[in-house]
Amino acid sequence: TELGQPMHSFDAAKIIGNVVVRQAKDCETLLALDSKEYTLTSKDIVIADSEKVLAIAGVIGGMSSALSETTDHVYFEAACFDPVSVRLTSQRLGIRTDAS
């Protein structure tokens, strides 16, 4: 975040299929790294694999793909997301992170 570019690391072994950036589905949920569960709307941008949301884009990662002491392969993501969408999602969910 030093350069204003949010980045996130995922445990590659916990990713199923392809990683995509997409709009969340209404009522889709994410158990985030802050141990809170968030309910998303179709206005939120997420990073997801074939089965689940991995992170709220530009805001916070999820527990389902978090790094741990057993991680041996890392999937690293650096992206530029729509700043208005990131800000609105962050505000609506009440999440304040370095990334957002």
Side-chain angles (χ1 to χ4, degrees), residues 20-58:
V20 297
V21 176
R22 62 169 173 81
Q23 297 301 127
K25 299 170 187 160
D26 284 327
C27 298
E28 201 165 26
T29 61
L30 173 74
L31 178 59
L33 292 173
D34 62 2
S35 298
K36 295 179 183 175
E37 186 170 79
Y38 296 97
T39 300
L40 308 172
T41 73
S42 59
K43 294 180 181 180
D44 302 319
I45 302 171
V46 298
I47 295 112
D49 67 12
S50 298
E51 295 184 359
K52 63 194 169 299
V53 174
L54 303 172
I56 302 170

Side-chain angles (χ1 to χ4, degrees), residues 3-88:
L3 301 175
Q5 189 67 31
M7 298 178 225
H8 190 76
S9 299
F10 303 89
D11 185 330
K14 298 175 182 175
I15 295 172
I16 309 297
N18 294 322
V19 175
V20 297
V21 176
R22 62 169 173 81
Q23 297 301 127
K25 299 170 187 160
D26 284 327
C27 298
E28 201 165 26
T29 61
L30 173 74
L31 178 59
L33 292 173
D34 62 2
S35 298
K36 295 179 183 175
E37 186 170 79
Y38 296 97
T39 300
L40 308 172
T41 73
S42 59
K43 294 180 181 180
D44 302 319
I45 302 171
V46 298
I47 295 112
D49 67 12
S50 298
E51 295 184 359
K52 63 194 169 299
V53 174
L54 303 172
I56 302 170
V59 180
I60 195 167
M63 293 295 287
S64 69
S65 58
L67 301 181
S68 71
E69 63 279 349
T70 61
T71 299
D72 58 5
H73 290 87
V74 175
Y75 185 98
F76 189 71
E77 168 258 316
C80 183
F81 300 109
D82 176 43
V84 173
S85 177
V86 170
R87 181 179 51 81
L88 291 173

